[in-house]
Amino acid sequence: MPLITTAFDATSTAADVVAGHDLTGTRAVVTGGGSGIGTETVRALASAGAEVTIAVRDPEQGNAAAQDVVGTTGNTTVRVARLDLLDLDSVAAFVADWAGPLHLLVNNAGVMALPQLTLTDRGWETQFATNHLGHFALTTGLHDALAAAEGARIVSVSSTGHLRSPVVFDDIHFAHREYDPWSAYGQSKTANVLLAVEATRRWADDGVVANALMPGGIMTNLQRHVSQDVIDGWERAQREGTVTFKTPEQGAATTLVAAVAPEFATGGHYLEDCAEARTVGDDEQTRSGVRAWALDPDHARRLWEVSEEHLAQRPDAD
């Protein structure tokens, strides 16, 4: 089947995508909405009339972003709630505090390329725990609110980093293999796509679908752990024309396409540059596209089950 395209492309902004959309009555949550493409996602949604909750670890940062968005959009229904994806009690508290339907959940927050292996207090590799398991707990916890919306979407912000690694089910947390920052990041980003695939399979009958996306190369706070040598290499590649960076406003555009474009109402898609990405072979050397391993339904089902097992390891779980 031909790939799904839209009227937008790599140069489009989030404002371009939501132009003409009336999201009045839409209730949205954006994790990591206090900075970068998260804030621009919040701004675009608010500009179209949505009620948006910025879910952030640092409420002070979230409040600053909310004030900025209210000032530029005039929409006063932008609120802030604390959410620490590494703290499952924080995730549970966020879920417990949510009341009523939820039309749009944007799993945007993340961490990239921690230089050393860092484990949580439950022994989980931090990138996988933050980028996937925290969002998995949030997403499954909000299922009933999403189903109550009768037509909800989940948006899972992934990355071309997923091209580097599948989910290594036999050693997710690097107990037996050498830690590599980019492999760890890659498997967490593959997990983001697989979550969208399986959530759509499980929940489409409930009126809930999910899409995943690559926002593009954008220099934001996400790169705070990346070495200066790597940053220098990216900037050199940009000057040479082999890499193109987007603005945060352009980066948020693909998020908004995944969230509101009618072309992606069926869910289970991986987007880049505001369109469906082509599937690439596991050995193909590329900086674009989606690996087959990230769309594999068997991997998606297995990851869901493994994720449930992880959450059941909580000390207060029965």
Side-chain angles (χ1 to χ4, degrees), residues 80-106:
V80 177
R82 185 177 183 277
L83 175 69
D84 184 345
L85 292 167
L86 278 180
D87 179 355
L88 294 184
D89 291 331
S90 173
V91 176
F94 183 96
V95 170
D97 287 344
W98 186 267
L102 174 61
H103 303 85
L104 177 61
L105 172 61
V106 181

mmCIF file of all heavy atoms in Angstrom, residues 80-106:
data_model
loop_
_atom_site.group_PDB
_atom_site.id
_atom_site.type_symbol
_atom_site.label_atom_id
_atom_site.label_comp_id
_atom_site.label_asym_id
_atom_site.label_seq_id
_atom_site.Cartn_x
_atom_site.Cartn_y
_atom_site.Cartn_z
ATOM 1 N N VAL A 80 -0.648 22.877 34.912
ATOM 2 C CA VAL A 80 0.592 22.146 35.140
ATOM 3 C C VAL A 80 0.364 21.104 36.231
ATOM 4 O O VAL A 80 -0.299 21.382 37.236
ATOM 5 C CB VAL A 80 1.727 23.113 35.568
ATOM 6 C CG1 VAL A 80 3.005 22.334 35.886
ATOM 7 C CG2 VAL A 80 1.978 24.143 34.479
ATOM 8 N N ALA A 81 0.892 19.919 36.025
ATOM 9 C CA ALA A 81 0.819 18.863 37.028
ATOM 10 C C ALA A 81 2.166 18.162 37.105
ATOM 11 O O ALA A 81 2.844 17.979 36.091
ATOM 12 C CB ALA A 81 -0.277 17.857 36.692
ATOM 13 N N ARG A 82 2.545 17.787 38.310
ATOM 14 C CA ARG A 82 3.840 17.131 38.485
ATOM 15 C C ARG A 82 3.767 15.682 38.003
ATOM 16 O O ARG A 82 2.812 14.964 38.297
ATOM 17 C CB ARG A 82 4.280 17.154 39.949
ATOM 18 C CG ARG A 82 5.683 16.590 40.154
ATOM 19 C CD ARG A 82 6.158 16.668 41.593
ATOM 20 N NE ARG A 82 7.517 16.173 41.702
ATOM 21 C CZ ARG A 82 7.860 14.887 41.800
ATOM 22 N NH1 ARG A 82 6.894 13.963 41.819
ATOM 23 N NH2 ARG A 82 9.117 14.518 41.880
ATOM 24 N N LEU A 83 4.797 15.278 37.283
ATOM 25 C CA LEU A 83 4.910 13.897 36.814
ATOM 26 C C LEU A 83 6.379 13.556 36.676
ATOM 27 O O LEU A 83 7.088 14.140 35.852
ATOM 28 C CB LEU A 83 4.215 13.710 35.457
ATOM 29 C CG LEU A 83 4.368 12.327 34.826
ATOM 30 C CD1 LEU A 83 3.595 11.279 35.620
ATOM 31 C CD2 LEU A 83 3.925 12.335 33.364
ATOM 32 N N ASP A 84 6.837 12.618 37.473
ATOM 33 C CA ASP A 84 8.209 12.106 37.382
ATOM 34 C C ASP A 84 8.115 10.688 36.848
ATOM 35 O O ASP A 84 7.679 9.770 37.557
ATOM 36 C CB ASP A 84 8.874 12.130 38.755
ATOM 37 C CG ASP A 84 10.333 11.691 38.712
ATOM 38 O OD1 ASP A 84 10.755 11.106 37.685
ATOM 39 O OD2 ASP A 84 11.050 11.907 39.706
ATOM 40 N N LEU A 85 8.521 10.503 35.613
ATOM 41 C CA LEU A 85 8.367 9.201 34.963
ATOM 42 C C LEU A 85 9.221 8.107 35.581
ATOM 43 O O LEU A 85 8.948 6.918 35.389
ATOM 44 C CB LEU A 85 8.683 9.330 33.471
ATOM 45 C CG LEU A 85 7.681 10.148 32.658
ATOM 46 C CD1 LEU A 85 8.237 10.479 31.289
ATOM 47 C CD2 LEU A 85 6.337 9.423 32.534
ATOM 48 N N LEU A 86 10.248 8.483 36.339
ATOM 49 C CA LEU A 86 11.081 7.493 37.021
ATOM 50 C C LEU A 86 10.491 7.070 38.362
ATOM 51 O O LEU A 86 10.981 6.130 38.983
ATOM 52 C CB LEU A 86 12.493 8.040 37.241
ATOM 53 C CG LEU A 86 13.452 7.954 36.065
ATOM 54 C CD1 LEU A 86 14.809 8.529 36.449
ATOM 55 C CD2 LEU A 86 13.607 6.522 35.567
ATOM 56 N N ASP A 87 9.473 7.768 38.801
ATOM 57 C CA ASP A 87 8.847 7.493 40.098
ATOM 58 C C ASP A 87 7.435 6.979 39.832
ATOM 59 O O ASP A 87 6.536 7.759 39.529
ATOM 60 C CB ASP A 87 8.832 8.781 40.932
ATOM 61 C CG ASP A 87 8.183 8.584 42.297
ATOM 62 O OD1 ASP A 87 7.663 7.490 42.571
ATOM 63 O OD2 ASP A 87 8.192 9.564 43.077
ATOM 64 N N LEU A 88 7.243 5.673 39.955
ATOM 65 C CA LEU A 88 5.937 5.114 39.629
ATOM 66 C C LEU A 88 4.857 5.576 40.596
ATOM 67 O O LEU A 88 3.670 5.582 40.248
ATOM 68 C CB LEU A 88 6.016 3.591 39.589
ATOM 69 C CG LEU A 88 6.892 3.016 38.462
ATOM 70 C CD1 LEU A 88 6.815 1.498 38.446
ATOM 71 C CD2 LEU A 88 6.521 3.584 37.110
ATOM 72 N N ASP A 89 5.230 5.979 41.802
ATOM 73 C CA ASP A 89 4.243 6.570 42.707
ATOM 74 C C ASP A 89 3.769 7.916 42.167
ATOM 75 O O ASP A 89 2.595 8.275 42.294
ATOM 76 C CB ASP A 89 4.832 6.745 44.108
ATOM 77 C CG ASP A 89 5.063 5.412 44.813
ATOM 78 O OD1 ASP A 89 4.314 4.458 44.519
ATOM 79 O OD2 ASP A 89 5.979 5.325 45.641
ATOM 80 N N SER A 90 4.688 8.672 41.561
ATOM 81 C CA SER A 90 4.319 9.946 40.945
ATOM 82 C C SER A 90 3.375 9.707 39.766
ATOM 83 O O SER A 90 2.385 10.437 39.592
ATOM 84 C CB SER A 90 5.579 10.687 40.473
ATOM 85 O OG SER A 90 5.245 11.838 39.724
ATOM 86 N N VAL A 91 3.668 8.695 38.962
ATOM 87 C CA VAL A 91 2.794 8.363 37.843
ATOM 88 C C VAL A 91 1.411 7.965 38.357
ATOM 89 O O VAL A 91 0.376 8.432 37.835
ATOM 90 C CB VAL A 91 3.395 7.235 36.988
ATOM 91 C CG1 VAL A 91 2.435 6.829 35.870
ATOM 92 C CG2 VAL A 91 4.739 7.656 36.402
ATOM 93 N N ALA A 92 1.384 7.128 39.391
ATOM 94 C CA ALA A 92 0.097 6.688 39.954
ATOM 95 C C ALA A 92 -0.692 7.863 40.515
ATOM 96 O O ALA A 92 -1.929 7.919 40.379
ATOM 97 C CB ALA A 92 0.337 5.642 41.037
ATOM 98 N N ALA A 93 0.002 8.809 41.130
ATOM 99 C CA ALA A 93 -0.681 9.986 41.672
ATOM 100 C C ALA A 93 -1.271 10.838 40.565
ATOM 101 O O ALA A 93 -2.397 11.356 40.693
ATOM 102 C CB ALA A 93 0.296 10.804 42.523
ATOM 103 N N PHE A 94 -0.528 10.984 39.466
ATOM 104 C CA PHE A 94 -1.042 11.748 38.325
ATOM 105 C C PHE A 94 -2.314 11.093 37.794
ATOM 106 O O PHE A 94 -3.315 11.773 37.537
ATOM 107 C CB PHE A 94 0.017 11.840 37.232
ATOM 108 C CG PHE A 94 -0.407 12.667 36.048
ATOM 109 C CD1 PHE A 94 -0.049 14.001 35.952
ATOM 110 C CD2 PHE A 94 -1.168 12.118 35.018
ATOM 111 C CE1 PHE A 94 -0.456 14.782 34.872
ATOM 112 C CE2 PHE A 94 -1.572 12.876 33.931
ATOM 113 C CZ PHE A 94 -1.215 14.209 33.861
ATOM 114 N N VAL A 95 -2.273 9.783 37.632
ATOM 115 C CA VAL A 95 -3.433 9.051 37.121
ATOM 116 C C VAL A 95 -4.610 9.203 38.071
ATOM 117 O O VAL A 95 -5.750 9.449 37.645
ATOM 118 C CB VAL A 95 -3.077 7.563 36.919
ATOM 119 C CG1 VAL A 95 -4.330 6.735 36.637
ATOM 120 C CG2 VAL A 95 -2.070 7.410 35.784
ATOM 121 N N ALA A 96 -4.350 9.060 39.371
ATOM 122 C CA ALA A 96 -5.430 9.143 40.355
ATOM 123 C C ALA A 96 -6.080 10.524 40.371
ATOM 124 O O ALA A 96 -7.287 10.656 40.626
ATOM 125 C CB ALA A 96 -4.897 8.797 41.739
ATOM 126 N N ASP A 97 -5.288 11.549 40.090
ATOM 127 C CA ASP A 97 -5.801 12.921 40.112
ATOM 128 C C ASP A 97 -6.572 13.293 38.853
ATOM 129 O O ASP A 97 -7.281 14.304 38.837
ATOM 130 C CB ASP A 97 -4.648 13.915 40.305
ATOM 131 C CG ASP A 97 -4.089 13.898 41.716
ATOM 132 O OD1 ASP A 97 -4.774 13.364 42.613
ATOM 133 O OD2 ASP A 97 -2.969 14.394 41.918
ATOM 134 N N TRP A 98 -6.406 12.491 37.788
ATOM 135 C CA TRP A 98 -7.082 12.833 36.542
ATOM 136 C C TRP A 98 -8.564 12.477 36.654
ATOM 137 O O TRP A 98 -8.915 11.382 37.071
ATOM 138 C CB TRP A 98 -6.466 12.095 35.358
ATOM 139 C CG TRP A 98 -7.068 12.565 34.068
ATOM 140 C CD1 TRP A 98 -8.125 12.023 33.398
ATOM 141 C CD2 TRP A 98 -6.678 13.718 33.332
ATOM 142 N NE1 TRP A 98 -8.418 12.756 32.284
ATOM 143 C CE2 TRP A 98 -7.546 13.822 32.218
ATOM 144 C CE3 TRP A 98 -5.678 14.675 33.500
ATOM 145 C CZ2 TRP A 98 -7.448 14.836 31.283
ATOM 146 C CZ3 TRP A 98 -5.572 15.692 32.563
ATOM 147 C CH2 TRP A 98 -6.450 15.766 31.466
ATOM 148 N N ALA A 99 -9.420 13.392 36.258
ATOM 149 C CA ALA A 99 -10.855 13.139 36.277
ATOM 150 C C ALA A 99 -11.440 13.478 34.913
ATOM 151 O O ALA A 99 -11.095 14.489 34.304
ATOM 152 C CB ALA A 99 -11.532 13.986 37.359
ATOM 153 N N GLY A 100 -12.344 12.634 34.461
ATOM 154 C CA GLY A 100 -13.021 12.882 33.191
ATOM 155 C C GLY A 100 -12.266 12.319 32.007
ATOM 156 O O GLY A 100 -11.216 11.685 32.151
ATOM 157 N N PRO A 101 -12.801 12.545 30.808
ATOM 158 C CA PRO A 101 -12.187 11.979 29.602
ATOM 159 C C PRO A 101 -10.870 12.648 29.249
ATOM 160 O O PRO A 101 -10.600 13.787 29.638
ATOM 161 C CB PRO A 101 -13.237 12.237 28.521
ATOM 162 C CG PRO A 101 -13.986 13.440 29.010
ATOM 163 C CD PRO A 101 -14.025 13.318 30.502
ATOM 164 N N LEU A 102 -10.051 11.906 28.519
ATOM 165 C CA LEU A 102 -8.790 12.417 27.987
ATOM 166 C C LEU A 102 -8.775 12.111 26.501
ATOM 167 O O LEU A 102 -8.815 10.951 26.099
ATOM 168 C CB LEU A 102 -7.601 11.752 28.688
ATOM 169 C CG LEU A 102 -6.202 12.069 28.139
ATOM 170 C CD1 LEU A 102 -5.906 13.560 28.239
ATOM 171 C CD2 LEU A 102 -5.136 11.259 28.875
ATOM 172 N N HIS A 103 -8.711 13.155 25.691
ATOM 173 C CA HIS A 103 -8.797 12.976 24.241
ATOM 174 C C HIS A 103 -7.444 12.770 23.577
ATOM 175 O O HIS A 103 -7.367 12.163 22.510
ATOM 176 C CB HIS A 103 -9.476 14.197 23.603
ATOM 177 C CG HIS A 103 -10.839 14.473 24.156
ATOM 178 N ND1 HIS A 103 -11.041 15.216 25.297
ATOM 179 C CD2 HIS A 103 -12.070 14.082 23.727
ATOM 180 C CE1 HIS A 103 -12.345 15.292 25.553
ATOM 181 N NE2 HIS A 103 -12.981 14.616 24.618
ATOM 182 N N LEU A 104 -6.392 13.290 24.199
ATOM 183 C CA LEU A 104 -5.076 13.239 23.561
ATOM 184 C C LEU A 104 -3.988 13.122 24.620
ATOM 185 O O LEU A 104 -3.888 13.965 25.511
ATOM 186 C CB LEU A 104 -4.848 14.504 22.732
ATOM 187 C CG LEU A 104 -3.488 14.648 22.037
ATOM 188 C CD1 LEU A 104 -3.265 13.509 21.041
ATOM 189 C CD2 LEU A 104 -3.408 15.999 21.325
ATOM 190 N N LEU A 105 -3.185 12.083 24.516
ATOM 191 C CA LEU A 105 -2.028 11.884 25.390
ATOM 192 C C LEU A 105 -0.779 11.915 24.537
ATOM 193 O O LEU A 105 -0.590 11.052 23.666
ATOM 194 C CB LEU A 105 -2.129 10.543 26.127
ATOM 195 C CG LEU A 105 -0.905 10.123 26.936
ATOM 196 C CD1 LEU A 105 -0.586 11.122 28.042
ATOM 197 C CD2 LEU A 105 -1.110 8.719 27.526
ATOM 198 N N VAL A 106 0.070 12.906 24.756
ATOM 199 C CA VAL A 106 1.310 13.034 24.005
ATOM 200 C C VAL A 106 2.467 12.648 24.920
ATOM 201 O O VAL A 106 2.838 13.395 25.832
ATOM 202 C CB VAL A 106 1.501 14.467 23.476
ATOM 203 C CG1 VAL A 106 2.798 14.563 22.664
ATOM 204 C CG2 VAL A 106 0.315 14.900 22.623
#
